Amino acid sequence: MSTTDASPEAQSTGWAPHDGVVLLHTLAKGLIDLERVRGLDSFTMPYPAEAQRALDRTVLACLRKGAGVPRSMAQLIDWCATRPISDWPLDLPADTVGPDDLLLDPESGRPTELCHEWAEHGHDTAGEHLDREVIRSALRMCREYGEEESYSAFRALLVDRPVLTSAESFEVAADLVMEPVRELIGWIYRPAPGGLLMDGAYATCGRCLTLLTPTRDGLWWCERDRCRRTGPPPVGRRLHPEEVGEVLQLRRPLRQYVTGPGRAETDLARKLTGLGLTVRMWPGFDSYDLHVTFPSGMVWAIDVKDWASPRLLGLAARPVPRTPPYHEAFWVVPRHRVTDRPGYIAMFERHRPSGARDVRLLTDDGLEELARHRLHGSGPDHAPVEGGPRA
């Protein structure tokens, strides 16, 4: 859309292509494309189309505001790593970004999780995205085989094994349980880039299991916000290609939206099981993440979301599917997201679509505390589920 065919409403609310949330989406997608095709430390022309578009539109937004402009792609990259988005001359709604949000991590120079969220979901939250399409494809394949066990094994693979060696990849392919999704697995695992090697070896994170990125000062950087908040990443496996063969990793959107939240899902399931509750993961071919049954027969349905942006999470909110049936449903976000972004839950609630006004968001520790209260009789009692969730 050109500036001439942007409506007055679009130009005044941040939806013109050179300003506001649309430009933020373009910036994020341009950075992802540039990293994928060129690497963010290489500025040879021609740049990917979206990266060039991001630079052009950023310059236009700055000129319209009478602000200084990035005079090259290298300078734009520097802005993204050192200048919080809130300081850019963009007409963004007040709660779109936090005061310290960056599109590139200053330590590693890699796109932040927030950047990936804006690239994937920032422009059209109703659009189709790789992570969703992969999950839908796996569901369809497993349903055709009538194998719910295969789907659960597939989800567990993405959560627990985001990195595979050649031998491990062969082992997975030979597993009969994976038969329905074998071809899909071969597509979603891609060769690890050489830029992740340090001293001839790849390294996995001992906490989140993904491949680590070497930094300029000879240290390791983890792509997961949650992991970095805990401290320097512990090195898990060191993988030398000459010893283990080709090293494969999940495509980035799957690591972002399946592996990351999956770690939070399994952590929460373990805590709830420790309270004496019965937890089933990804029930009904992944209708939701956790099906939790209390001794009284009360059932909770839980979807875990690990997003940096409460605005984008709110826009993506949807009611929890009604089967398998339950009494209460929750969306859950890790506590660190709320700690990092004051007002997170209020922002989520402001941006929920009208059809998702009943979607309740809690932190993981908040949900655990609520479960303790219900177990000790300080919450409402429920009879076993019969026909479906109660109103």
mmCIF file of all heavy atoms in Angstrom, residues 127-160:
data_model
loop_
_atom_site.group_PDB
_atom_site.id
_atom_site.type_symbol
_atom_site.label_atom_id
_atom_site.label_comp_id
_atom_site.label_asym_id
_atom_site.label_seq_id
_atom_site.Cartn_x
_atom_site.Cartn_y
_atom_site.Cartn_z
ATOM 1 N N GLY A 127 -3.179 -14.550 10.223
ATOM 2 C CA GLY A 127 -2.496 -15.179 9.109
ATOM 3 C C GLY A 127 -1.962 -16.551 9.470
ATOM 4 O O GLY A 127 -2.002 -17.004 10.608
ATOM 5 N N GLU A 128 -1.447 -17.235 8.446
ATOM 6 C CA GLU A 128 -0.887 -18.559 8.643
ATOM 7 C C GLU A 128 0.599 -18.440 8.930
ATOM 8 O O GLU A 128 1.324 -17.720 8.250
ATOM 9 C CB GLU A 128 -1.121 -19.405 7.385
ATOM 10 C CG GLU A 128 -2.596 -19.564 7.032
ATOM 11 C CD GLU A 128 -3.395 -20.227 8.136
ATOM 12 O OE1 GLU A 128 -2.827 -21.055 8.870
ATOM 13 O OE2 GLU A 128 -4.579 -19.901 8.271
ATOM 14 N N HIS A 129 1.093 -19.178 9.905
ATOM 15 C CA HIS A 129 2.483 -19.110 10.304
ATOM 16 C C HIS A 129 3.052 -20.518 10.348
ATOM 17 O O HIS A 129 2.335 -21.496 10.555
ATOM 18 C CB HIS A 129 2.613 -18.410 11.652
ATOM 19 C CG HIS A 129 1.975 -17.056 11.667
ATOM 20 N ND1 HIS A 129 2.503 -15.985 11.005
ATOM 21 C CD2 HIS A 129 0.821 -16.611 12.227
ATOM 22 C CE1 HIS A 129 1.722 -14.930 11.171
ATOM 23 N NE2 HIS A 129 0.695 -15.281 11.904
ATOM 24 N N LEU A 130 4.354 -20.610 10.165
ATOM 25 C CA LEU A 130 5.002 -21.908 10.021
ATOM 26 C C LEU A 130 4.703 -22.829 11.191
ATOM 27 O O LEU A 130 4.378 -24.009 11.000
ATOM 28 C CB LEU A 130 6.509 -21.715 9.871
ATOM 29 C CG LEU A 130 7.330 -23.007 9.803
ATOM 30 C CD1 LEU A 130 6.981 -23.790 8.543
ATOM 31 C CD2 LEU A 130 8.812 -22.710 9.850
ATOM 32 N N ASP A 131 4.810 -22.305 12.438
ATOM 33 C CA ASP A 131 4.601 -23.173 13.584
ATOM 34 C C ASP A 131 3.195 -23.766 13.583
ATOM 35 O O ASP A 131 2.995 -24.950 13.865
ATOM 36 C CB ASP A 131 4.877 -22.424 14.885
ATOM 37 C CG ASP A 131 4.041 -21.170 15.039
ATOM 38 O OD1 ASP A 131 4.154 -20.277 14.168
ATOM 39 O OD2 ASP A 131 3.267 -21.073 16.006
ATOM 40 N N ARG A 132 2.203 -22.944 13.250
ATOM 41 C CA ARG A 132 0.827 -23.433 13.222
ATOM 42 C C ARG A 132 0.638 -24.469 12.116
ATOM 43 O O ARG A 132 -0.031 -25.482 12.298
ATOM 44 C CB ARG A 132 -0.141 -22.272 12.996
ATOM 45 C CG ARG A 132 -0.120 -21.207 14.081
ATOM 46 C CD ARG A 132 -1.134 -20.135 13.750
ATOM 47 N NE ARG A 132 -0.977 -18.950 14.588
ATOM 48 C CZ ARG A 132 -1.674 -17.837 14.420
ATOM 49 N NH1 ARG A 132 -2.556 -17.761 13.460
ATOM 50 N NH2 ARG A 132 -1.476 -16.799 15.226
ATOM 51 N N GLU A 133 1.207 -24.182 10.941
ATOM 52 C CA GLU A 133 1.030 -25.091 9.819
ATOM 53 C C GLU A 133 1.679 -26.449 10.078
ATOM 54 O O GLU A 133 1.136 -27.487 9.709
ATOM 55 C CB GLU A 133 1.609 -24.461 8.548
ATOM 56 C CG GLU A 133 0.755 -23.338 7.973
ATOM 57 C CD GLU A 133 -0.662 -23.818 7.693
ATOM 58 O OE1 GLU A 133 -0.854 -24.634 6.766
ATOM 59 O OE2 GLU A 133 -1.585 -23.403 8.421
ATOM 60 N N VAL A 134 2.845 -26.448 10.716
ATOM 61 C CA VAL A 134 3.503 -27.714 11.039
ATOM 62 C C VAL A 134 2.653 -28.525 12.018
ATOM 63 O O VAL A 134 2.445 -29.730 11.841
ATOM 64 C CB VAL A 134 4.910 -27.464 11.608
ATOM 65 C CG1 VAL A 134 5.480 -28.723 12.244
ATOM 66 C CG2 VAL A 134 5.844 -26.969 10.505
ATOM 67 N N ILE A 135 2.162 -27.856 13.055
ATOM 68 C CA ILE A 135 1.350 -28.562 14.050
ATOM 69 C C ILE A 135 0.068 -29.092 13.416
ATOM 70 O O ILE A 135 -0.347 -30.237 13.655
ATOM 71 C CB ILE A 135 1.045 -27.630 15.242
ATOM 72 C CG1 ILE A 135 2.329 -27.303 16.005
ATOM 73 C CG2 ILE A 135 0.018 -28.271 16.164
ATOM 74 C CD1 ILE A 135 3.067 -28.503 16.543
ATOM 75 N N ARG A 136 -0.574 -28.287 12.580
ATOM 76 C CA ARG A 136 -1.806 -28.741 11.916
ATOM 77 C C ARG A 136 -1.518 -29.935 11.002
ATOM 78 O O ARG A 136 -2.311 -30.878 10.920
ATOM 79 C CB ARG A 136 -2.417 -27.597 11.115
ATOM 80 C CG ARG A 136 -3.062 -26.529 11.982
ATOM 81 C CD ARG A 136 -3.443 -25.333 11.151
ATOM 82 N NE ARG A 136 -3.995 -24.268 11.966
ATOM 83 C CZ ARG A 136 -4.088 -23.007 11.587
ATOM 84 N NH1 ARG A 136 -3.653 -22.644 10.389
ATOM 85 N NH2 ARG A 136 -4.602 -22.093 12.386
ATOM 86 N N SER A 137 -0.390 -29.879 10.302
ATOM 87 C CA SER A 137 -0.033 -30.982 9.412
ATOM 88 C C SER A 137 0.198 -32.258 10.220
ATOM 89 O O SER A 137 -0.250 -33.349 9.822
ATOM 90 C CB SER A 137 1.224 -30.636 8.611
ATOM 91 O OG SER A 137 0.992 -29.538 7.749
ATOM 92 N N ALA A 138 0.908 -32.131 11.345
ATOM 93 C CA ALA A 138 1.150 -33.301 12.190
ATOM 94 C C ALA A 138 -0.166 -33.863 12.727
ATOM 95 O O ALA A 138 -0.362 -35.090 12.766
ATOM 96 C CB ALA A 138 2.082 -32.923 13.341
ATOM 97 N N LEU A 139 -1.060 -32.989 13.129
ATOM 98 C CA LEU A 139 -2.367 -33.443 13.625
ATOM 99 C C LEU A 139 -3.113 -34.208 12.538
ATOM 100 O O LEU A 139 -3.669 -35.285 12.788
ATOM 101 C CB LEU A 139 -3.194 -32.236 14.076
ATOM 102 C CG LEU A 139 -2.844 -31.632 15.434
ATOM 103 C CD1 LEU A 139 -3.546 -30.290 15.603
ATOM 104 C CD2 LEU A 139 -3.245 -32.577 16.553
ATOM 105 N N ARG A 140 -3.136 -33.651 11.336
ATOM 106 C CA ARG A 140 -3.852 -34.305 10.241
ATOM 107 C C ARG A 140 -3.257 -35.684 9.951
ATOM 108 O O ARG A 140 -3.979 -36.679 9.814
ATOM 109 C CB ARG A 140 -3.792 -33.437 8.985
ATOM 110 C CG ARG A 140 -4.422 -34.074 7.754
ATOM 111 C CD ARG A 140 -4.298 -33.177 6.537
ATOM 112 N NE ARG A 140 -2.907 -32.845 6.258
ATOM 113 C CZ ARG A 140 -2.035 -33.667 5.664
ATOM 114 N NH1 ARG A 140 -2.415 -34.899 5.326
ATOM 115 N NH2 ARG A 140 -0.808 -33.266 5.421
ATOM 116 N N MET A 141 -1.928 -35.760 9.870
ATOM 117 C CA MET A 141 -1.267 -37.029 9.568
ATOM 118 C C MET A 141 -1.543 -38.077 10.636
ATOM 119 O O MET A 141 -1.828 -39.243 10.330
ATOM 120 C CB MET A 141 0.244 -36.790 9.432
ATOM 121 C CG MET A 141 0.633 -35.934 8.255
ATOM 122 S SD MET A 141 2.400 -35.468 8.321
ATOM 123 C CE MET A 141 2.538 -34.460 6.839
ATOM 124 N N CYS A 142 -1.456 -37.668 11.905
ATOM 125 C CA CYS A 142 -1.665 -38.634 12.996
ATOM 126 C C CYS A 142 -3.128 -39.059 13.090
ATOM 127 O O CYS A 142 -3.421 -40.215 13.413
ATOM 128 C CB CYS A 142 -1.170 -38.043 14.318
ATOM 129 S SG CYS A 142 0.629 -37.808 14.383
ATOM 130 N N ARG A 143 -4.038 -38.130 12.812
ATOM 131 C CA ARG A 143 -5.460 -38.505 12.819
ATOM 132 C C ARG A 143 -5.755 -39.502 11.711
ATOM 133 O O ARG A 143 -6.545 -40.427 11.892
ATOM 134 C CB ARG A 143 -6.322 -37.257 12.651
ATOM 135 C CG ARG A 143 -6.456 -36.437 13.927
ATOM 136 C CD ARG A 143 -7.524 -35.377 13.762
ATOM 137 N NE ARG A 143 -7.767 -34.663 14.997
ATOM 138 C CZ ARG A 143 -7.587 -33.364 15.163
ATOM 139 N NH1 ARG A 143 -7.150 -32.630 14.152
ATOM 140 N NH2 ARG A 143 -7.830 -32.782 16.319
ATOM 141 N N GLU A 144 -5.136 -39.308 10.542
ATOM 142 C CA GLU A 144 -5.369 -40.239 9.437
ATOM 143 C C GLU A 144 -4.918 -41.645 9.812
ATOM 144 O O GLU A 144 -5.520 -42.632 9.388
ATOM 145 C CB GLU A 144 -4.625 -39.750 8.193
ATOM 146 C CG GLU A 144 -5.261 -38.521 7.551
ATOM 147 C CD GLU A 144 -4.451 -37.976 6.387
ATOM 148 O OE1 GLU A 144 -3.345 -38.523 6.118
ATOM 149 O OE2 GLU A 144 -4.908 -37.016 5.742
ATOM 150 N N TYR A 145 -3.859 -41.732 10.605
ATOM 151 C CA TYR A 145 -3.386 -43.023 11.091
ATOM 152 C C TYR A 145 -4.148 -43.480 12.333
ATOM 153 O O TYR A 145 -4.004 -44.620 12.750
ATOM 154 C CB TYR A 145 -1.894 -42.933 11.442
ATOM 155 C CG TYR A 145 -0.947 -43.165 10.293
ATOM 156 C CD1 TYR A 145 -0.741 -42.190 9.334
ATOM 157 C CD2 TYR A 145 -0.249 -44.373 10.180
ATOM 158 C CE1 TYR A 145 0.142 -42.398 8.281
ATOM 159 C CE2 TYR A 145 0.628 -44.592 9.128
ATOM 160 C CZ TYR A 145 0.820 -43.595 8.175
ATOM 161 O OH TYR A 145 1.693 -43.815 7.134
ATOM 162 N N GLY A 146 -4.919 -42.578 12.944
ATOM 163 C CA GLY A 146 -5.606 -42.900 14.187
ATOM 164 C C GLY A 146 -4.656 -43.088 15.347
ATOM 165 O O GLY A 146 -4.915 -43.881 16.250
ATOM 166 N N GLU A 147 -3.535 -42.341 15.332
ATOM 167 C CA GLU A 147 -2.484 -42.536 16.327
ATOM 168 C C GLU A 147 -2.265 -41.280 17.168
ATOM 169 O O GLU A 147 -1.459 -40.419 16.842
ATOM 170 C CB GLU A 147 -1.172 -42.919 15.620
ATOM 171 C CG GLU A 147 -1.192 -44.279 14.955
ATOM 172 C CD GLU A 147 -1.169 -45.417 15.966
ATOM 173 O OE1 GLU A 147 -0.942 -45.145 17.154
ATOM 174 O OE2 GLU A 147 -1.383 -46.567 15.547
ATOM 175 N N GLU A 148 -3.037 -41.148 18.265
ATOM 176 C CA GLU A 148 -2.807 -40.024 19.160
ATOM 177 C C GLU A 148 -1.441 -40.138 19.826
ATOM 178 O O GLU A 148 -0.772 -39.126 20.087
ATOM 179 C CB GLU A 148 -3.903 -39.949 20.227
ATOM 180 C CG GLU A 148 -3.792 -38.717 21.119
ATOM 181 C CD GLU A 148 -4.981 -38.533 22.045
ATOM 182 O OE1 GLU A 148 -6.002 -39.225 21.866
ATOM 183 O OE2 GLU A 148 -4.887 -37.668 22.935
ATOM 184 N N GLU A 149 -0.983 -41.369 20.059
ATOM 185 C CA GLU A 149 0.332 -41.576 20.656
ATOM 186 C C GLU A 149 1.432 -40.997 19.760
ATOM 187 O O GLU A 149 2.417 -40.437 20.245
ATOM 188 C CB GLU A 149 0.582 -43.070 20.880
ATOM 189 C CG GLU A 149 1.948 -43.378 21.498
ATOM 190 C CD GLU A 149 2.241 -44.868 21.567
ATOM 191 O OE1 GLU A 149 1.373 -45.664 21.157
ATOM 192 O OE2 GLU A 149 3.344 -45.230 22.026
ATOM 193 N N SER A 150 1.268 -41.109 18.465
ATOM 194 C CA SER A 150 2.269 -40.577 17.538
ATOM 195 C C SER A 150 2.328 -39.063 17.624
ATOM 196 O O SER A 150 3.421 -38.471 17.585
ATOM 197 C CB SER A 150 1.942 -41.002 16.100
ATOM 198 O OG SER A 150 2.070 -42.392 15.940
ATOM 199 N N TYR A 151 1.158 -38.440 17.753
ATOM 200 C CA TYR A 151 1.177 -36.986 17.859
ATOM 201 C C TYR A 151 1.854 -36.546 19.155
ATOM 202 O O TYR A 151 2.664 -35.613 19.157
ATOM 203 C CB TYR A 151 -0.231 -36.405 17.791
ATOM 204 C CG TYR A 151 -0.190 -34.900 17.964
ATOM 205 C CD1 TYR A 151 0.225 -34.086 16.924
ATOM 206 C CD2 TYR A 151 -0.471 -34.316 19.197
ATOM 207 C CE1 TYR A 151 0.335 -32.719 17.084
ATOM 208 C CE2 TYR A 151 -0.357 -32.954 19.373
ATOM 209 C CZ TYR A 151 0.035 -32.163 18.307
ATOM 210 O OH TYR A 151 0.171 -30.804 18.490
ATOM 211 N N SER A 152 1.537 -37.210 20.265
ATOM 212 C CA SER A 152 2.162 -36.853 21.540
ATOM 213 C C SER A 152 3.677 -37.046 21.474
ATOM 214 O O SER A 152 4.445 -36.228 21.997
ATOM 215 C CB SER A 152 1.576 -37.698 22.672
ATOM 216 O OG SER A 152 0.195 -37.412 22.847
ATOM 217 N N ALA A 153 4.119 -38.112 20.803
ATOM 218 C CA ALA A 153 5.556 -38.350 20.654
ATOM 219 C C ALA A 153 6.198 -37.264 19.787
ATOM 220 O O ALA A 153 7.326 -36.835 20.048
ATOM 221 C CB ALA A 153 5.796 -39.726 20.042
ATOM 222 N N PHE A 154 5.482 -36.830 18.764
ATOM 223 C CA PHE A 154 5.981 -35.756 17.900
ATOM 224 C C PHE A 154 6.147 -34.465 18.689
ATOM 225 O O PHE A 154 7.184 -33.795 18.610
ATOM 226 C CB PHE A 154 5.004 -35.554 16.738
ATOM 227 C CG PHE A 154 5.339 -34.388 15.848
ATOM 228 C CD1 PHE A 154 6.348 -34.481 14.903
ATOM 229 C CD2 PHE A 154 4.625 -33.195 15.952
ATOM 230 C CE1 PHE A 154 6.659 -33.410 14.064
ATOM 231 C CE2 PHE A 154 4.925 -32.118 15.127
ATOM 232 C CZ PHE A 154 5.943 -32.229 14.180
ATOM 233 N N ARG A 155 5.143 -34.101 19.479
ATOM 234 C CA ARG A 155 5.246 -32.885 20.292
ATOM 235 C C ARG A 155 6.393 -33.000 21.286
ATOM 236 O O ARG A 155 7.143 -32.044 21.508
ATOM 237 C CB ARG A 155 3.937 -32.631 21.038
ATOM 238 C CG ARG A 155 2.834 -32.009 20.213
ATOM 239 C CD ARG A 155 3.233 -30.642 19.659
ATOM 240 N NE ARG A 155 3.494 -29.673 20.708
ATOM 241 C CZ ARG A 155 2.587 -28.843 21.202
ATOM 242 N NH1 ARG A 155 1.349 -28.861 20.735
ATOM 243 N NH2 ARG A 155 2.915 -27.972 22.144
ATOM 244 N N ALA A 156 6.535 -34.158 21.906
ATOM 245 C CA ALA A 156 7.626 -34.358 22.866
ATOM 246 C C ALA A 156 8.981 -34.241 22.180
ATOM 247 O O ALA A 156 9.934 -33.701 22.758
ATOM 248 C CB ALA A 156 7.485 -35.712 23.545
ATOM 249 N N LEU A 157 9.068 -34.711 20.943
ATOM 250 C CA LEU A 157 10.320 -34.594 20.186
ATOM 251 C C LEU A 157 10.694 -33.133 20.003
ATOM 252 O O LEU A 157 11.846 -32.734 20.228
ATOM 253 C CB LEU A 157 10.165 -35.273 18.823
ATOM 254 C CG LEU A 157 11.361 -35.149 17.872
ATOM 255 C CD1 LEU A 157 12.521 -36.029 18.357
ATOM 256 C CD2 LEU A 157 10.948 -35.544 16.453
ATOM 257 N N LEU A 158 9.746 -32.303 19.621
ATOM 258 C CA LEU A 158 10.013 -30.888 19.381
ATOM 259 C C LEU A 158 10.386 -30.160 20.663
ATOM 260 O O LEU A 158 11.166 -29.206 20.635
ATOM 261 C CB LEU A 158 8.794 -30.216 18.735
ATOM 262 C CG LEU A 158 8.725 -30.244 17.201
ATOM 263 C CD1 LEU A 158 8.835 -31.662 16.659
ATOM 264 C CD2 LEU A 158 7.453 -29.576 16.705
ATOM 265 N N VAL A 159 9.840 -30.600 21.778
ATOM 266 C CA VAL A 159 10.128 -29.949 23.052
ATOM 267 C C VAL A 159 11.473 -30.410 23.621
ATOM 268 O O VAL A 159 12.284 -29.593 24.077
ATOM 269 C CB VAL A 159 9.004 -30.240 24.067
ATOM 270 C CG1 VAL A 159 9.386 -29.754 25.463
ATOM 271 C CG2 VAL A 159 7.700 -29.578 23.620
ATOM 272 N N ASP A 160 11.722 -31.712 23.570
ATOM 273 C CA ASP A 160 12.880 -32.286 24.268
ATOM 274 C C ASP A 160 14.118 -32.450 23.398
ATOM 275 O O ASP A 160 15.225 -32.613 23.923
ATOM 276 C CB ASP A 160 12.508 -33.652 24.855
ATOM 277 C CG ASP A 160 11.420 -33.550 25.917
ATOM 278 O OD1 ASP A 160 11.366 -32.511 26.595
ATOM 279 O OD2 ASP A 160 10.629 -34.508 26.049
#
